[in-house]
Amino acid sequence: MQFELTKSLVESIIFSMEDQNGEFAFDASSGRVISLDSLMQSELDEMSEQDSLYSLPHWSSNDGFEIMEDFAESVRVPNVRTELEQALSNGRGVFRNFKNVLSQYPQIEKQFHVFKQRKMRSVVVEWYNSLRESWGLEKLNQDFEEYDELIQADFEFQPYNHVKDSDCISIEAKKIAEELEAAHRGNLGKAIAHFWLRKFDYESSSGIGGLLCRTLSGDFAGCLLFSDCSSFAKNVVALTSVFVNQNYRGLGIARELFSRGISLLKEHGIQEFIIADSALPDYLEPLVARCGFEKKGSVYTADLA
């Protein structure tokens, strides 16, 4: 019996996968995840005859542990990453210890929940696609990585104001420079950090615009800045910089900044958005492609007309 995989069903399946105290399955006839422990043998036989009962994707504590390991490796805040890795190496009580560390860093904790949901959703989609293949159907191509509710609930986006925001941008840019210098070490790191900071030595502040993302308590989370090119190219802007504070990465903030920034530029009649920075990080390339940018040599362009 075929069925549709909805977001609510995905959430229900994930919830049951994590329950290690019972055995569950999906009943396509009722559209519900059910506990097999509560069914009589006659009911199981009837569901089997109707071909409506499906075992859920396999999930164990080992799978949960692997997710925690993968997340700890992905954390870009050195001291938090070290604490998480130590919690996972202590032997007994690793799950509790891991959660205790996360509870001290609320934004990192939210990143973990997003990371975990994404991983588990991919397992459910893979399971569902194997069923679709057995039904003779094409594989599902849906994006279940939804950050919108998290972004709307925990962050605010405001237009960049040079008078009010330039000092904040300068401070945050220096933090990124410190990250770059630490990542590359020696004179190479110093050189990369130097050229990164040069991006913020504007000849004139009048042509700089963009968006800032802040937490509800006012802490800086990220920004997207662009330069007006009207003095030599009408209705064109160029990306000056985009970055996210390391405490808030992995929450979809960069994606939201690009989405809102493009909408803002369209409202002001901008027809072309270009990224002429050949040092665009690799991890941003898929994002700018999804936002409509095309790579032409070392330059990315997005037609907003």
Side-chain angles (χ1 to χ4, degrees), residues 135-147:
W135 299 334
L137 301 176
E138 293 184 0
K139 289 186 176 181
L140 186 71
N141 184 22
Q142 289 192 30
D143 180 13
F144 285 101
E145 298 176 19
E146 295 293 342
Y147 299 95

Side-chain angles (χ1 to χ4, degrees), residues 55-220:
S55 298
L56 299 187
H58 173 74
W59 192 260
S60 68
S61 58
N62 288 335
D63 297 307
F65 183 80
E66 287 183 11
I67 282 185
M68 293 190 296
E69 280 189 318
D70 292 342
F71 178 75
E73 291 178 4
S74 73
V75 172
R76 299 180 185 178
V77 186
N79 64 303
V80 180
R81 181 173 62 248
T82 299
E83 288 184 44
L84 290 173
E85 290 174 344
Q86 288 176 345
L88 293 174
S89 64
N90 285 339
R92 297 184 61 183
V94 291
F95 287 88
R96 186 185 307 106
N97 294 336
F98 190 85
K99 290 181 179 179
N100 288 341
V101 173
L102 286 178
S103 66
Q104 301 173 46
Y105 307 96
Q107 293 300 333
I108 302 293
E109 186 175 28
K110 290 176 181 177
Q111 290 181 35
F112 172 69
H113 291 310
V114 171
F115 183 90
K116 179 181 176 182
Q117 283 293 102
R118 187 190 312 164
K119 292 284 188 179
M120 296 192 72
R121 283 170 178 167
S122 68
V123 171
V124 175
V125 172
E126 184 179 355
W127 164 80
Y128 183 63
N129 275 334
S130 67
L131 294 177
R132 288 180 65 86
E133 190 174 10
S134 69
W135 299 334
L137 301 176
E138 293 184 0
K139 289 186 176 181
L140 186 71
N141 184 22
Q142 289 192 30
D143 180 13
F144 285 101
E145 298 176 19
E146 295 293 342
Y147 299 95
D148 294 345
E149 292 183 7
L150 177 65
I151 294 295
Q152 297 294 337
D154 295 330
F155 298 95
E156 294 179 337
F157 294 83
Q158 305 161 343
Y160 171 72
N161 182 303
H162 182 74
V163 175
K164 294 193 304 181
D165 301 325
S166 59
D167 288 344
C168 172
I169 293 295
S170 178
I171 292 171
E172 295 297 332
K174 288 177 181 177
K175 292 180 182 178
I176 300 296
E178 291 171 0
E179 284 187 57
L180 293 171
E181 186 171 348
H184 296 279
R185 301 293 180 187
N187 289 329
L188 175 61
K190 292 179 181 178
I192 293 174
H194 169 77
F195 283 105
W196 162 260
L197 288 175
R198 280 187 58 180
K199 295 166 59 163
F200 302 91
D201 294 334
Y202 311 126
E203 294 181 4
S204 171
S205 62
S206 60
I208 301 297
L211 290 171
L212 261 68
C213 175
R214 296 183 183 274
T215 66
L216 298 184
S217 60
D219 294 333
F220 175 91

Side-chain angles (χ1 to χ4, degrees), residues 1-13:
M1 181 180 294
Q2 299 178 13
F3 61 92
E4 180 183 357
L5 185 65
T6 63
K7 288 183 180 179
S8 61
L9 177 55
V10 171
E11 292 172 0
S12 180
I13 290 174

